[in-house]
């Protein structure tokens, strides 16, 4: 009490506490009996003075007048007086006031003494409740945000956002509070000025409950949350300049008018328009502008159908006359020697352009072509981006950015979305953050969100990552631009994913021809009455006085002139090769341009030195004993030149390619060790876990990661897509994906069906991707035997009845094949020797075109004692004096006889052979052993078809000629309805027809009968089946009909 009295006394000298005495005497704990106090005479106070600040007040009368005035209109007095009276009204105690005065006088208080007093009056409970309330806004505010332009989605308003929930009353609204907290930014930052509860609520609602809903509190890292809070929890809302507003209006109008223009000109065309989500365009452009300002030089974009043409025109800047001309669906004019492929619909095509940004930076934009399968392009985009980062040594991943667009239905429904997100932080797959933009029109075709997802937001899958999700009302272009800018800044700052959920609507049906009222009558009643976002923005700008009606009209008139000019230009537009092959790798051949065959062998000395380099293990590593042994054995293979096994052949292929300056990347589940523990490409120190990758030490100064081998996430679809995208970036690479077992490749079926088998024909983009699919029947049951060879063969685009033209004069150079492989959509091989595997891998790179390669990879051949090759089969010396060129053997001739068989087109006949067993893959070894055992070497020949597609018609014809008296039989381990049988049958007939022999119609067959499952689950049954099919194949009395 004494302290308070003293404070009051001191304050009298400043002319203030007269007020205390007269107005709040008792509440301040001062009493009129206080002898020391002698009020000063009141002086007249001019009305103007009532605006004076607290420190200038002089008399009780003055103070009484002030108080009266404050109660009539708080704003009519200075802020400091407002605080004073408010505090008095809210029961600030005399002690608190006095202590604050003391501290203020001694310079220990930065704030006004009344504020300090008010704060000290704030109870601990109040502080805690206030803190929780602010936190409630940060966590739940987005549920109360005004996100839906149609106002139909209706999240329940969380009660935690109501101050009453936390015990605050209306009378508390104008009390000042302080909520500073250690290590926090934004509203909870320490040193933040105190605010009344009303002011705090206003800013909380402006920030968290307006047109943007921020979801970020699931991120466990405080730094990241603070980063966001610093940017959004500003003291005052951030405003755009007039210039910025004009820019947004311009971009939004382009987006809007492009769609209306198309709608008017092509009334019956499907275009999956963007109407209802027009602000995507200004949003995307903001992402790109901001990213470019922050160092991004190229952007790879993947997106679905919705708004694709608009993005192509207005973001990527594909010439509009070209887009308009594509509406006519004109076939491109193929000049002589030009490959045009089969094409694709206009809303699937990709393209790439360089374009300047608003701040004068140049940025390369490429939109990746995609199939109709929603979200399937996601990881292809990531792979391409990652490859760009690798080739440009963008170690920080700040120069190449991936943007993925999604629909709301697809984002929550398609599993590949999670597979994509899951890759975001994996060291060998990360692209340093993807920016996801969801065009959330609250409907998927005809399905409502309530029927298509179980979570409140379509973006909830992204919460599995520690990345922010910004929901935004797409009718408010300024908010869209704001979050897009923030998203780009986030990506560049944290190199992690970020999601922008553009809550919008779909003006028309699923496409422009669909009738939406059939299924969404209530929604579409609202949509029909709803103004376009461009119109809403124009009205807002006019209403706030930023622009006049005429200025807005000028913007639109200018755009319309451009559109009309492009439309006129489209009439004379001729689609040309350049448009179709825009990003073709220069110097590479299209399927219509002949590529010469090259030798894939490697000079013996180089083979030896490379082999020694990759089998030398450093001394200072504690390798596992067995691993040391593996490497010693490999080294011995090189030293002796004998017995190279599968793993060694593969390692040599990789090493030689790397030493020639190529990049090799092998990815898939457990590929580092190898599913079958055969590869051991990454070795682990047994004491400290350090890793050693021998193939990163092929030669001194080798670029780090020029050989990359990486265990992938447990995904097939996602990872295969990623590697495909990676392979498309540069031709100077060998990119491989290995399935754990071939069976699991069907998890990636969409990539095989939609991208790999038809990508070149649809989109004129080549890929030399290799898929290693372990395949082979060794009694492991239905799930680990078959890679479904038949499916890959069925997808070959070769005509089985057409004999390719062969010019025998060029036989030994391989030139007789012409463009056979180039014209095929992909290659399917089932190699039986390590050397052939070595050559087929190297062939992928040593040619002037790229073509996907499907390899039926071995399992038990990895350790088969006879599946070995001598080193000389890897070198560049031809097997036959006449042969030039490639060393990969599409067919391996029967290997019996004293002298090697004649490789020429017309070999001497072997009339004594009664049967030729044609086969492919590991069954050869069983056949070979059994034939030896049965002593049928002079009676039965065994020919291996190592390349099943494109079919080696020329070599099969040669073998038919070699064995004029033999019955031909196809032997396979797979059931009759699987494997290669159905594929080879018509092709053999084509060969027979070519040779002037009777066609077989039904080719003699030794193999398993047709089956539903791929293999039996009983080991014993497997053994019997296998023995029978081998016996049948070698039995010249067996008719081959089953
Ligand atoms: C994997 C896949 N399944 C089904 C379809 C057929 N389909 C095309 S668009 C669409 C609806 C997509 O909804 P949403 O993702 O919300 O995008 P919107 O069309 O609304 O922009 C469907 C089911 C498809 N293209 N891809
Ligand atoms: Mg949708």
């Amino acid at each position: 009490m004494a302290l308070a009295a003293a404070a009051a006394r001191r304050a009298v000298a400043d002319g203030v506490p007269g007020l205390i005495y007269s107005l709040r005497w008792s509440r301040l704990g001062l009493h009129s009996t206080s002898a020391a106090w002698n009020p000063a005479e009141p002086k007249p106070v001019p009305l103007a003075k009532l605006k004076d600040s607290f420190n200038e007040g002089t008399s009780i009368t003055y103070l009484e007048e002030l108080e009266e005035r404050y109660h009539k209109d708080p704003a009519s007095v200075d802020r400091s007086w407002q605080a004073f009276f408010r505090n008095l009204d809210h029961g600030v105690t005399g002690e608190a006031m006095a202590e604050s005065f003391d501290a203020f006088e001694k310079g220990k208080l930065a704030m006004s003494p009344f504020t300090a007093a008010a704060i000290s009056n704030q109870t601990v409970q109040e502080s805690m409740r206030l803190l929780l309330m602010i936190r409630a806004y940060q966590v739940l505010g987005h549920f109360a945000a005004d996100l839906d332009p149609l106002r139909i989605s209706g999240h329940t308003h969380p009660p935690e956002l109501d101050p009453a929930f936390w015990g605050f009353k209306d009378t508390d609204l104008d009390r000042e509070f302080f909520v500073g907290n250690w290590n926090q930014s934004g509203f909870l930052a320490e040193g933040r000025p105190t605010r009344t509860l009303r002011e705090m609520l206003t800013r909380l609602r402006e920030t968290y409950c307006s047109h943007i809903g921020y979801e970020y509190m699931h991120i466990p890292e405080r730094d990241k949350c603070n980063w966001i809070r610093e940017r959004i929890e500003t003291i005052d809302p951030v405003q755009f300049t007039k210039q910025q507003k004009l820019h947004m209006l311009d971009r939004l109008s382009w987006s809007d008018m492009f769609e209306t223009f198309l709608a008017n000109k092509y009334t019956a065309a499907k275009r999956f328009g963007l109407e209802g989500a027009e602000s995507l365009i200004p949003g995307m452009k903001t992402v790109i502008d901001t990213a470019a300002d922050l160092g991004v030089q190229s952007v790879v974009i993947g997106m679905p159908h919705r708004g694709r043409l608009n993005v192509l025109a207005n973001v990527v800047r594909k010439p509009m006359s070209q887009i308009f001309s594509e509406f006519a669906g004109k076939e491109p004019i193929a000049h002589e020697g030009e490959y045009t492929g089969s094409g694709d619909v206009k809303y699937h095509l990709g393209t790439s352009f360089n374009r300047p940004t608003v701040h004068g930076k140049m940025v390369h934009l490429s939109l990746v072509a995609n199939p109709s399968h929603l979200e399937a392009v996601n990881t292809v985009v990531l792979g391409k981006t990652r490859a760009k980062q690798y080739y440009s040594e963008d170690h920080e991943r700040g120069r190449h950015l991936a943007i993925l667009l999604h629909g709301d239905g697809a984002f929550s429904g398609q599993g590949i979305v999670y597979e994509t997100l899951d890759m975001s932080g994996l060291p060998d797959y990360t692209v340093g953050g993807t920016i996801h933009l969801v065009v959330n029109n609250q409907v998927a075709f005809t399905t409502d969100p309530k029927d298509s997802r179980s979570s409140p937001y379509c973006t909830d899958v992204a919460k599995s990552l520690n990345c922010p999700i910004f929901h935004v009302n797409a009718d408010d272009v300024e908010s869209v631009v704001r979050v897009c800018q923030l998203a780009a800044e986030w990506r560049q700052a944290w190199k992690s994913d970020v999601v922008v959920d553009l809550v919008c609507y779909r003006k028309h049906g699923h496409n422009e021809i669909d009738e939406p009222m059939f299924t969404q009558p209530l929604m579409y009643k609202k949509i029909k009455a709803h103004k376009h976002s461009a119109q809403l923005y124009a009205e807002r700008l006019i209403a706030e006085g930023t622009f006049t009606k005429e200025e807005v009209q000028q913007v639109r008139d200018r755009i319309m002139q451009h559109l009309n000019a492009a439309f006129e230009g489209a009439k004379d537009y001729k689609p040309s090769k350049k448009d179709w092959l825009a990003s073709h790798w220069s110097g590479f051949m299209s399927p219509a341009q002949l590529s010469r065959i090259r030798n894939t062998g490697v000079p013996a000395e180089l083979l030896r030195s490379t082999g020694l380099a990759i089998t030398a293990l450093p001394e200072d590593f504690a390798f596992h004993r067995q691993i040391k042994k593996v490497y010693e054995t490999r080294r011995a293979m090189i030293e002796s030149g004998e017995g190279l096994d599968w793993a060694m052949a593969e390692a040599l292929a990789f090493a030689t390619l790397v030493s020639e300056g190529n990049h090799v990347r092998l990815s898939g589940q457990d590929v580092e060790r190898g599913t079958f523990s055969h590869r051991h490409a990454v070795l682990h120190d047994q004491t400290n876990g350090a890793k050693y990758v021998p193939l990163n030490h092929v030669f001194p100064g080798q670029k780090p990661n020029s050989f990359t081998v990486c265990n992938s996430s447990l995904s097939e679809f996602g990872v295969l897509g990623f590697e495909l995208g990676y392979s498309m970036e540069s031709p100077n690479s060998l990119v491989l994906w290995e399935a754990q077992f071939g069976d699991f490749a069907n998890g990636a079926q969409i990539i095989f069906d939609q991208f790999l088998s038809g990508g070149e024909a649809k989109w004129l983009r080549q890929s030399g991707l290799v898929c290693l699919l372990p395949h082979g029947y060794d009694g492991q049951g239905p799930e680990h035997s078959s890679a479904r060879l038949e499916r890959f063969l069925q997808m070959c685009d070769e005509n089985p009845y057409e004999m390719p033209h062969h010019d025998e004069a060029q036989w030994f150079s391989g030139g007789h094949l012409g463009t056979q492989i180039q014209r095929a959509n992909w290659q399917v091989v089932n190699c039986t020797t390590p050397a052939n595997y070595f050559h087929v891998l190297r062939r992928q790179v040593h040619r002037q075109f790229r073509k996907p390669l499907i390899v039926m990879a071995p399992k038990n051949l990895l350790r088969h004692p006879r599946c070995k090759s001598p080193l000389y089969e890897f070198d560049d010396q031809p097997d036959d004096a006449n042969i030039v060129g490639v060393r990969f053997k599409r067919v391996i001739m029967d290997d019996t006889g004293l002298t090697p068989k004649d490789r020429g087109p017309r070999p001497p006949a072997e009339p004594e052979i009664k049967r030729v067993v044609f086969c492919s893959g590991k069954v050869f070894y069983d056949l070979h052993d059994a034939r030896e055992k049965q002593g049928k070497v002079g009676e039965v020949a065994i020919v291996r078809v190592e390349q099943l597609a494109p079919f080696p018609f020329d070599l099969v014809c040669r073998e038919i000629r070699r064995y004029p008296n033999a019955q031909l039989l196809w032997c396979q381990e797979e059931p009759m309805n699987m494997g290669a049988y159905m594929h080879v049958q018509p092709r053999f007939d084509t060969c027979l027809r070519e040779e002037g022999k009777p066609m077989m119609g039904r080719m003699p067959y030794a193999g398993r009968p047709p089956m539903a499952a791929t293999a039996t689950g009983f080991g014993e049954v497997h053994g019997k089946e296998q023995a029978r099919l081998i016996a049948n194949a070698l039995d010249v009395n067996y008719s081959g009909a089953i």
Side-chain angles (χ1 to χ4, degrees), residues 287 299-302 375 377-379 381-383 385-386 389 397 400-406 411 417 420-425 429-437 462 465 467-468 487-488 490-492 494-500 722:
V287 166
V299 183
V300 188
I301 304 168
E375 307 289 343
V377 79
N378 292 1
T379 56
V381 167
L382 300 196
T385 311
R386 172 83 187 199
Q389 292 172 349
R397 314 202 181 285
H400 301 275
L401 167 70
I403 299 181
L404 290 178
L405 271 64
H406 314 269
F411 199 63
V417 172
T420 310
L421 296 171
D422 186 43
M423 285 179 165
S424 67
Y429 301 83
T430 179
V431 294
T434 301
I435 299 181
H436 301 270
L437 302 174
L465 298 186
C467 77
W490 167 277
R491 192 276 176 187
Q492 287 304 86
W494 297 103
K495 302 288 158 48
S496 77
D497 286 34
V498 51
V499 179
V500 176
F722 188 97

Side-chain angles (χ1 to χ4, degrees), residues 305-306 372-374 407-410 414 441 443-445 510:
H305 52 290
R306 180 80 51 215
S372 169
H373 288 57
L374 295 166
D408 53 322
Q414 291 286 310
N441 54 19
V443 63
F445 213 142
H510 177 56

Side-chain angles (χ1 to χ4, degrees), residues 754-800:
Q754 262 61 38
F755 287 87
L756 210 53
S757 64
E760 186 179 16
K762 289 194 283 187
W763 309 315
L764 306 170
R765 298 289 183 275
Q766 294 188 356
S767 161
L769 184 70
V770 179
C771 299
L772 304 177
L773 312 181
H775 173 85
Y777 281 61
D778 30 40
Q780 288 192 60
E783 253 57 78
H784 290 112
S785 299
S786 175
R788 296 289 194 172
L789 168 63
E790 61 280 1
R791 292 190 181 152
F792 297 97
L793 295 175
Q794 196 209 17
M795 274 191 274
C796 294
D797 63 353
E798 177 182 79
N799 183 344

Side-chain angles (χ1 to χ4, degrees), residues 87-101:
N87 292 334
L88 287 181
D89 284 347
H90 289 96
V92 176
T93 64
E95 283 88 344
M97 283 286 223
E99 277 176 30
S100 302
F101 274 120

Side-chain angles (χ1 to χ4, degrees), residues 723-991:
E723 303 312 332
L724 172 70
Y726 201 102
S727 74
M728 282 157 48
E729 182 56 23
S730 165
N732 299 322
S733 61
L734 180 71
V735 182
L736 309 96
W737 174 72
E738 181 173 76
Q740 186 113 70
F741 283 90
D743 320 43
F744 303 121
N746 58 11
Q749 198 66 46
I750 294 167
I751 300 293
F752 287 114
D753 289 1
Q754 262 61 38
F755 287 87
L756 210 53
S757 64
E760 186 179 16
K762 289 194 283 187
W763 309 315
L764 306 170
R765 298 289 183 275
Q766 294 188 356
S767 161
L769 184 70
V770 179
C771 299
L772 304 177
L773 312 181
H775 173 85
Y777 281 61
D778 30 40
Q780 288 192 60
E783 253 57 78
H784 290 112
S785 299
S786 175
R788 296 289 194 172
L789 168 63
E790 61 280 1
R791 292 190 181 152
F792 297 97
L793 295 175
Q794 196 209 17
M795 274 191 274
C796 294
D797 63 353
E798 177 182 79
N799 183 344
Y801 303 107
E802 191 180 280
M803 189 73 190
H805 171 75
H806 293 141
D807 173 7
E808 269 185 26
Q810 295 190 56
W811 182 271
F812 286 105
S813 70
H816 67 298
L817 294 173
T819 56
Q820 190 197 8
I821 287 198
Q822 289 172 262
R823 280 183 282 109
N825 58 335
W826 62 14
Q827 314 150 93
V828 182
V829 302
N830 192 2
C831 303
T832 56
T833 72
N836 226 20
Y837 178 48
F838 168 87
H839 288 292
V840 84
L841 291 181
R842 287 182 50 80
R843 185 179 73 161
Q844 281 301 95
V845 176
H846 284 277
R847 46 164 62 147
Q848 289 171 292
F849 60 94
R850 294 289 175 263
K851 196 65 68 178
L853 172 68
I854 310 292
V855 180
M856 294 294 117
K859 293 178 293 170
N860 69 8
L861 290 193
L862 298 170
R863 294 188 172 76
H864 195 286
R866 288 202 298 103
C867 184
K868 304 270 161 78
S869 301
L871 192 57
Y872 65 76
E873 287 193 7
F874 296 70
D875 68 24
D876 57 350
Q877 299 307 305
D879 296 350
D880 184 297
N882 295 315
I883 291 269
V884 246
V886 77
R887 300 288 309 276
F888 171 66
K889 298 187 171 80
R890 290 172 294 137
V891 164
I892 299 184
M893 300 176 292
D894 185 82
D895 62 355
T896 53
L898 289 177
T899 49
K901 297 215 184 293
D902 189 334
R903 310 181 70 89
R906 308 268 152 199
E910 297 186 29
E912 66 288 357
I913 296 292
K914 299 198 181 106
R915 164 163 297 157
V916 191
V917 180
F918 284 91
C919 63
S920 188
K922 88 165 226 298
V923 71
F924 162 77
Y925 289 99
D926 290 356
L927 287 165
H928 190 276
D929 290 353
R931 179 179 61 173
E932 231 162 46
K933 241 189 239 160
Q934 294 176 21
K936 292 187 175 165
V937 167
E939 191 176 296
V940 178
I942 308 172
V943 176
R944 289 170 262 179
V945 181
E946 302 273 296
Q947 177 177 295
L948 287 156
F951 194 69
F953 290 96
D954 54 329
L955 301 180
V956 168
C957 282
R958 179 188 67 192
E959 298 312 304
I960 291 174
R961 292 194 282 267
R962 193 190 308 275
Y963 305 109
N965 301 327
Q967 182 207 34
L968 313 184
L969 175 139
W970 181 257
C971 176
Q972 68 176 30
E973 300 180 306
E974 299 89 347
M976 191 190 241
N977 53 328
M978 302 174 196
Y981 183 50
M982 297 297 171
H983 174 80
V984 299
Q985 200 168 217
R987 288 167 173 81
F988 269 93
D989 266 351
T990 301
C991 292

Side-chain angles (χ1 to χ4, degrees), residues 221-238:
E221 292 115 307
R222 197 189 60 251
D223 285 355
K224 290 184 176 173
C225 291
N226 274 343
W227 185 95
I228 292 177
R229 287 191 280 256
E230 263 166 33
R231 284 158 181 79
I232 64 175
E233 292 186 352
T234 51
I235 292 179
D236 298 307
V238 183

